[in-house]
Amino acid sequence: MEGIGLTHFLVVGLVVFALGLYTVLTRRNAIGILMGIELILNAANINYVAFGRYAGVAADGQVFAIFVIMLAAAEAVIGLAVVLGIYQNFESIDVEATDALRY
Amino acid sequence: MEITEVGYLRWIPLLPLVGAAVNGVAGAVIQRRLGKRAISVLAVTPVLLAFALSVQTFLDLRALAPEQRFLLDRVMPWLHVGTLVADIAFWVDPLACVMLLVVTGVGGLIHVYSTGYMHEDASYWRFFAFLNLFTFAMLTLVLGDSLLLMFVGWEGVGLCSYALIGFWWREHVNTTAGNKAFIVNRIGDFGFLLGILLLFWSTDAAGHGSVVFRELQEHASVLAGQTLWGVPVVVLVTLLLFVGATGKSAQIPLYVWLPDAMQGPTPVSALIHAATMVTAGVYMIARLHFLYALAPATLAVVAGIGAATALLAATIGLVQNDIKRVLAYSTVSQLGYMFVAMGVGAWSAGIFHLMTHAFFKACLFLGAGSVIHGLGGEQDMRRMGGLRTRMPVTFWTFLVATLAIAGAPLTAGFFSKDEILWKAFSSPHGSALLWLVGVAVAGLTACYMFRQLFLTFFGESRADHEVLHHAHESPPSMAVPLVLLAAGSLLAGFVGLPQALGGANRFEAWLAPVFAHGHAAVAHAASHGPHEVELELTLMAVAIGVAITGFLVAFVLYQRRSVPVAALADVLGGIPYRVLLNKYYVDELYQAVFVRGTLLLSRLGAWIDATIIDGVVDGSARLTALAARLNRLFDDYVVDALVNFCANRTYDVGLRLRRVQTGGINAYLYVIVGTVAFVLIARLM
Amino acid sequence: MDLVLTWMTFVPLAGAAVILCLPSRAQALIKTTALLFTFPPLLMAVWLFQDFDRTSTAFQYVTRVPWIPSYNILYFVGVDGISIAMVLLTALLCPLCILASWGIDRGVKGYFALFLLLDTGMTGVFVALDFFLFYIFWEVMLLPMYFLIGVWGGPRREYAAIKFFLYTLAGSVLMLIAMLVLYFASTPHTFDMVELMRQSGSYGTSPVLWGLSMQHLLWLALFIGFAIKIPAFPFHTWLPDAHVEAPTAISVILAGILLKMGTYGLLRVNYGMLPVATADYAYWLLGALGTWNIVYGALCAMAQKDLKKLVAYSSISHMGYVMLGMAAFTTQGINGAVLQMFNHGTITAMLFLLVGVIYDRAHHRDIEGFGGLAGIMPVYTGVTALAFFAAMGLPGLSAFISEVLVLLGAWQPYPRLTVVAASAVILTAGYMLWTMQRMYLGQPNERYLGLPDISARELVTLVPLGAIVIVLGVYPHAVLDLINASLVNLNGLVAAGAQGALAQR
């Protein structure tokens, strides 16, 4: 076996991204959508680290990854706060139920 | 010509004017406070004073040499526009002097008569105001030195005639008669006015434009050779002026007002419609004889119409039953004589007859008035009779006047009428036909006048018993003028005693200088050789004979009743009688054609105005309103529609577009992702 | 005294302003004030009458100051023979009309203020010598008339008022266009009428539009505007309605003065500034049309049942004489025409005042509805008889002189027209006497037995006019002397202008 190269990491990242995208687009559960967003963000993280290790200064990639994790955490907090608010108003976290702004 | 300027002529017309003004404005008050006597004095005095002044004028003229007998009184400038110069100025020559004496003399007597006749009338003051005003106008007509001033008097007498005919204005008949008189006169005035205009401009074309008589006489010759519309100007002018004369002097075709004018009080009929106003036409022709002498064609027309009118009126007078109507038609007929005289160039003969006619016609009318007054208002001769003994003064004066008008020898009427007949026969402008008609009319005149005399005064009275009981002779105020006029009817003729009978015909001599001009143009057989005299006497005899025949016819029919009139009426009567009684239906013809015609035209005019012209105006207003409404429709349904359409379509689009807002987050996410992917791919390409 | 014309024009306006400040309830005070403010113009008129130079053809009492310099508009007023008679007539009639309006009892303040404004407008039209100023005064007259008829008039007053207003305004618009054309055609651009007259030779006489030259087109435009006011057939139908519905005093003003503005305008503008066209159109549009007016007006008058409408049509008939006289270009003709303008002003004023007398008492004007008024109101009948006979042109009264002069003047150039025109004397006598008979003679109508005779106030309005009618019949030169010099001069101008154009052609 050759060594595990950049490509392998990118593919993993892609798969994770795709799964995350699919999750975001198809979940009806708001929290599921948030999970999907986490997956997407983490897929981006994988890319960052991989490119950091294989195509540039490793520290750059890892620093960005830490940024993203931090931002993801903050965004998750806010997202969950929004979901809580939605639950308080709509009695449900099904995103199909929040169609008050429908025409 | 040499003219003497005096300052008193103006008072002859002005004195009556003052009387008229005072009576007109304050008459009602004066009558109430001071009684009718005060009015009488106020009214009669000016006329008598005017008569005195007229006599003075006569004496002044006589003192001058015949060729210099002109008195002029310039009062004030009146109208000076361009080359037209007309002043308020009065002048007298022998002709005007004759007229003056007649108007003031006979007029004065009638004024006196009226104080008795109108005594019971409440509007006494108004009567005298207008009578005085009439005298003023008539004197202005006679004395005016220009055609324009004469025209002022001409229409002035028409006004007074209107006012006096319609004096008892509460009766519709009277006011209609007044209207008729004024309007028919106006038709004549229309012609008269045009004549003045043409005359002025024709003389002006030769540099001598004038309306003043003495200037016209001097420059009459400039009219020779001028024509208008193919007719000689002189003929046109004289014809147009003659139209005025036919109106004022009641000749064919404008005589119809005179019989109706009998609706007025009898003194009015006497003064205005017998002695003075109606003679104005004759006077006018005499005054302008120098023009008429230049227009033989017009002279023929004048004579022809005069003769025709005389005949027509005489035939109508034959069957009239109203005492005044007979006299009215008689007046028309006698005026016809005067115009025959004028038409053959016998100017002084015409004026002579004018003068004598004034006497006997006034006497006849006043006599008729006396009868009417005595019978308490009766005017129908069929209800008279037997008044000979009850009203002797009236009867005798009436008889004298009747003799005069019939042409009984030695009366005034005989001399004047005879002169006319002789001149009609012998003048170059005359003809045997004219003479024949004249003689026939003389016969008819005698007939109907004596018919009137017999019916009124002779025989058994046919009057109502009550009326007969009260029949009385008239008071002195009425009787004295009658006597004086009758005397005039007898004696006045002698001033015109013809040379054929050994007289000097002082009348003709007196007027000769006035007409010298005209006589030169109208070559007159001045010689009175034995043949001429014989002929004249023969014709005289024939005329007398015809008159006697007329008298006899009347005598037999109406006095002796030898032939019952009723039977005669049945034989000759029927249609001819009815035609005569109805005056040949001329009035009805005029009414149907002219009066109705004018009214129809006027209604047509008013209809055109209201329907057509105003229709256009209102129509344009309606069109504008319609246009405005169309405009609003356009605004509402076209312009506004477009605006609304845009709005609606925008709404529709919005309606469709908003479906994007599903409210569901998934859809939004899809959109976001899709857009990003699209952009990325696009950028990569 | 050089500002006399300005004073005469604007004193009534000041009066209007004063009246507007008075309380509405003080009716007597308002009426007296109005009357007082018409006296100064009257007194000045008397003074003018004796001071006017009768031999001069120039404009007198001139005031000429720049007003709106950027457009060369001047305040230019003056009188000559043509306008002096009209100014005097206006000054005479206004106090009389105020007296005649004494019976107005509602909206008194508005009525008299508007009337005084009207007075200013009328005097201004006659004295204005700047075309712009002339036009302003012309328009100033319209609005008060509209209200005076439309508010204080009879049953159909709104219709009559609007008809009068729009009709006259339409004419004014044409006048405005012509005025502007003249302004731009002049060098330098000016509204000064004297100057425009002087430059009359420069207005084009070669065909421009529809075969007519500019001068002819201008003349026609102005003619229509003035013809509406005369009123000439067929632009006359506003007159009967306006007269019938207007209150008495307004009818007097309308007939007495406003109608004269049409012919005055023709003389001042058309004759003075457009001589060639005047000479060309005189026969048909003034002579023949005037004759038609005379006869048609008389015929229509005969068919009327309303007394006021009859008098209105007789006005149309009488104004026809003015047109005919103007068309003749003879000294007698044009003198007769302007004298007729003055005479008709006084006579027709009398007629309308007399109609007012009976209408005030009986509240209708139906001729057939009266009868025998002579027995009920004798003094009134006497005055009416005077007025009727004056209207008929009875010699000895003023109208005879003017009618004779017109007919005499018109005979020389147009004998046939004169014959037709003269025939109207018969028609006029016909309808006047017929009316006299139906209304005043005959059996007194029981309905009106108690009517009071003419009052002192009414007599005061009529006596001055009657006196003038009588005096002018005997002494016409009182007016003729005023007007003769300028009119002869005007005739000469037209002749010279026409000749000049002929020479050019």
Side-chain angles (χ1 to χ4, degrees), chain B residues 47-360:
Chain B
V47 183
L48 293 180
L49 284 175
F51 178 70
L53 282 173
S54 308
V55 173
Q56 176 66 42
T57 311
F58 172 68
L59 295 172
D60 282 348
L61 280 179
R62 270 242 308 215
L64 294 167
E67 314 77 52
Q68 294 172 358
R69 289 185 178 152
F70 301 101
L71 299 176
L72 179 67
D73 185 359
R74 282 187 227 265
V75 181
M76 59 183 278
W78 186 32
L79 202 54
H80 292 221
V81 185
T83 45
L84 174 70
V85 173
D87 288 335
I88 298 188
F90 300 112
W91 81 316
V92 176
D93 66 350
L95 172 64
C97 185
V98 170
M99 293 295 296
L100 265 189
L101 290 168
V102 169
V103 173
T104 52
V106 177
L109 285 174
I110 296 181
H111 271 77
V112 172
Y113 178 94
S114 305
T115 58
Y117 190 84
M118 300 299 293
H119 196 260
E120 305 304 316
D121 201 296
S123 294
Y124 193 72
W125 60 274
R126 185 161 54 93
F127 182 82
F128 277 104
F130 276 115
L131 210 62
N132 269 357
L133 189 66
F134 168 82
T135 313
F136 157 71
M138 190 68 207
L139 290 168
T140 306
L141 193 158
V142 170
L143 291 174
D145 81 328
S146 66
L147 271 168
L148 277 180
L149 196 54
M150 176 190 252
F151 191 69
V152 173
W154 189 272
E155 284 234 19
V157 295
L159 166 70
C160 298
S161 177
Y162 162 80
L164 286 167
I165 294 173
F167 182 71
W168 293 307
W169 47 264
R170 281 170 212 257
E171 300 304 317
H172 192 75
V173 187
N174 302 343
T175 52
T176 306
N179 282 0
K180 189 169 178 179
F182 194 86
I183 295 174
V184 174
N185 260 276
R186 263 281 164 122
I187 301 177
D189 297 343
F190 159 68
F192 195 88
L193 188 61
L194 292 179
I196 297 180
L197 302 183
L198 179 56
L199 184 59
F200 174 74
W201 284 114
S202 307
T203 49
D204 193 68
H208 290 290
S210 175
V211 288
V212 178
F213 290 119
R214 52 187 182 280
E215 290 172 19
L216 286 171
Q217 187 157 359
E218 222 175 294
H219 301 122
S221 49
V222 306
L223 292 173
Q226 290 193 36
T227 61
L228 179 66
W229 303 324
V231 183
V233 162
V234 185
V235 173
L236 264 182
V237 168
T238 48
L239 269 179
L240 285 169
L241 293 171
F242 179 61
V243 169
T246 58
K248 194 62 71 186
S249 302
Q251 299 294 293
I252 292 174
L254 298 175
Y255 68 90
V256 292
W257 63 271
L258 189 55
D260 285 29
M262 298 299 111
Q263 297 296 129
T266 309
V268 171
S269 310
L271 180 61
I272 300 184
H273 305 128
T276 45
M277 176 174 121
V278 293
T279 58
V282 182
Y283 171 68
M284 185 269 295
I285 295 187
R287 181 47 84 219
L288 291 171
H289 66 277
F290 50 89
L291 285 180
Y292 282 87
L294 293 172
T298 313
L299 284 178
V301 172
V302 171
I305 289 194
T309 310
L311 191 58
L312 178 86
T315 55
I316 299 179
L318 215 44
V319 300
Q320 295 302 311
N321 293 315
D322 182 305
I323 193 174
K324 285 175 71 175
R325 290 276 156 135
V326 177
L327 293 176
Y329 282 105
S330 164
T331 305
V332 175
S333 184
Q334 295 300 307
L335 286 166
Y337 263 121
M338 295 179 219
F339 280 103
V340 168
M342 293 320 204
V344 299
W347 324 110
S348 58
I351 299 294
F352 186 33
H353 195 63
L354 190 157
M355 187 184 81
T356 60
H357 175 261
F359 279 112
F360 54 71

Side-chain angles (χ1 to χ4, degrees), chain C residues 387-410:
Chain C
F388 273 21
F389 277 102
M392 268 189 257
L394 187 77
L397 301 174
S398 56
F400 168 68
I401 306 282
S402 50
E403 283 177 14
V404 154
L405 283 176
V406 164
L407 291 172
L408 186 68

